[in-house]
């Protein structure tokens, strides 16, 4: 490691909570786009009932809290074979916290069921996800949903 001041600043993990970050605006936007694309890939894998693609994105040890049920990423990957959504739409995507190695996002997803048997999967949900970067690869380590009930 060199001794110049720039490398010392970059080598420290930046803190970002409530929109405060040491990342440049360009780096923040790039990171947000990467995480948004990863969320889409995760939803595509679930909608396609593709366990292998899902596990390329989700840590086996991830904490998944969905519909009040808590399980691991590995357990959830087993459940997606019966997932049964025909479409989804992500809106209101926002980054809640970020560092170079960790990003937490929150958004709304609207899903449609592909059959009457999976109708309970249709609706609007608040989603929060936490992604961690290890060895250059982003993996989901936490995901939680809450159904949005009509008022």
């Amino acid at each position: 490691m060199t001794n110049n001041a720039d490398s010392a600043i970059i080598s420290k993990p930046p803190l970002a909570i409530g929109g405060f970050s040491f990342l440049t605006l360009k780096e923040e936007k790039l990171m947000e786009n990467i995480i948004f694309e990863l969320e889409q890939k995760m939803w595509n894998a679930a909608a396609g009932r593709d366990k292998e693609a899902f596990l390329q994105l989700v840590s086996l040890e991830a904490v998944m809290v969905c519909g009040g049920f808590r399980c691991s990423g590995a357990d959830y990957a087993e459940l997606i074979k019966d997932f049964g959504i025909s479409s989804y739409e992500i809106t209101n995507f926002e980054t809640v916290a970020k560092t170079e190695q960790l990003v937490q996002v929150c958004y709304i997803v609207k899903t449609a069921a592909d059959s009457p048997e999976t109708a309970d999967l249709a609706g609007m949900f608040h989603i929060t996800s936490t992604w961690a970067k290890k060895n250059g690869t982003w993996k989901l380590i936490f995901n939680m949903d809450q159904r949005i009930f009509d008022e």
Side-chain angles (χ1 to χ4, degrees):
M1 179 162 169
T2 62
N3 260 344
N4 75 35
D6 290 337
S7 66
I9 292 170
I10 292 170
S11 67
K12 294 179 183 177
L15 174 66
I17 298 174
F20 179 73
S21 174
F22 288 109
L23 300 174
T24 68
L25 263 110
K26 185 177 179 180
E27 291 169 328
E28 285 183 22
K29 190 64 178 166
L30 177 62
M31 185 179 292
E32 186 170 285
N33 288 339
I34 289 168
I35 299 302
F36 182 81
E37 288 176 12
L38 291 170
E39 288 285 341
Q40 287 184 310
K41 287 179 181 180
M42 182 179 65
W43 279 99
N44 288 338
R49 300 175 184 192
D50 187 340
K51 175 184 170 180
E52 289 75 26
F54 187 81
L55 287 175
Q56 287 178 2
L57 301 162
V58 177
S59 169
L60 294 171
E61 298 82 25
V63 173
M64 309 290 285
V65 182
C66 303
F69 176 72
R70 182 189 192 275
C71 64
S72 69
D75 294 334
Y76 200 86
E78 294 299 324
L79 299 174
I80 68 165
K81 67 180 180 281
D82 299 319
F83 203 66
I85 65 167
S86 58
S87 65
Y88 70 89
E89 178 185 10
I90 296 173
T91 60
N92 298 51
F93 190 86
E94 65 179 301
T95 301
V96 177
K98 58 194 164 291
T99 69
E100 290 177 342
Q101 304 299 319
L102 198 67
V103 177
Q104 183 181 28
V105 297
C106 184
Y107 58 91
I108 293 173
V109 68
K110 182 177 181 181
T111 58
D114 64 2
S115 70
E117 293 79 32
T118 59
D120 62 326
L121 297 175
M124 291 182 64
F125 302 85
H126 285 288
I127 306 289
T128 185
S129 297
T130 305
W131 293 82
K133 189 175 187 181
K134 185 174 181 182
N135 299 324
T137 302
W138 288 100
K139 287 275 199 172
L140 182 90
I141 60 168
F142 177 79
N143 181 271
M144 185 172 186
D145 71 40
Q146 174 62 49
R147 182 180 291 277
I148 301 171
F149 293 97
D150 293 330
E151 296 180 352

